[in-house]
Structure formats: C-alpha cells, structure tokens
Amino acid sequence: MTLQEYDYARESPSKLAASCLLLALTMKNLGGWTPTLEYYSGYRARDLHPLVKKLNFLLTYQPRDKLNTVRSKYSHRVFFEVAKLAPMDMLKLEKALTSC
C-alpha cells in the first residue's frame, strides 16, 4: 500500500520493512521486537515507533476508492486474508509499542 503513497518514498526500504514487521507482530499479538530482530535489521524498536504509527494510520484512514486491486488480491486465502485484518486502535498501539 505504501508504494502508491508519496509520503513513504523518503523512507528507506529496510526501515519500512522493519516497521511493517513490527506492526504485524503487534497486530497479531505475536510478541515484540526481539534482540535478534534488532541485530539483523539494524533498528531499535523505539526508532521504528513513529513509522509504525504512520503505517497504522494509513490502514485506518485509507481512502476506499484507492488500491482496490491490492485489497482484493490480499483478501484471498492464498495470502491469509491479511487485507481483512482490522487496523489497531491508536491508543492500544501506543500502549503496545511502549511495552516493547
């Protein structure tokens, strides 16, 4: 989804990927940012927090007329229906991020 948003063009691809992973881990309640993830990604969790919040905001307030093809593709079982996952409440996300 970020490929079509100019605001994300200035972010490094590795930081964007790490932030997406942290958001996914948080959304699915699969644990936080581990020392192993920090080591191999090169990013500390607190460095990713602003971008994670921005990504969740994109999921929450996305225009419904854009990216229908992407949403349709990732709504299939082949892709584990990830497009159907509800974004996190911003307050819950903030609380979850402060604990990791």
Side-chain angles (χ1 to χ4, degrees):
M1 291 179 61
T2 61
L3 292 175
Q4 295 183 355
E5 299 290 333
Y6 289 116
D7 292 343
Y8 296 91
R10 66 175 174 238
E11 300 293 345
S12 73
S14 62
K15 188 173 185 179
L16 189 58
S19 297
C20 288
L21 177 59
L22 180 55
L23 179 58
L25 290 171
T26 306
M27 286 175 75
K28 296 296 285 180
N29 200 22
L30 296 174
W33 201 246
T34 65
T36 303
L37 290 170
E38 182 177 327
Y39 176 80
Y40 285 106
S41 71
Y43 295 105
R44 295 177 295 179
R46 67 176 171 259
D47 297 334
L48 301 174
H49 289 181
L51 188 51
V52 169
K53 292 175 193 173
K54 191 174 171 183
L55 288 166
N56 192 62
F57 186 83
L58 175 66
L59 290 173
T60 304
Y61 298 106
Q62 59 190 322
R64 295 294 174 198
D65 57 336
K66 290 174 67 180
L67 306 172
N68 287 330
T69 305
V70 173
R71 184 176 327 288
S72 175
K73 177 181 179 177
Y74 288 99
S75 293
H76 292 285
R77 285 191 320 177
V78 175
F79 296 104
F80 304 100
E81 300 177 332
V82 296
K84 294 180 180 178
L85 292 174
M88 288 191 72
D89 177 68
M90 293 301 246
L91 294 174
K92 289 181 183 177
L93 178 62
E94 182 71 37
K95 184 177 179 183
L97 289 176
T98 56
S99 66
C100 67

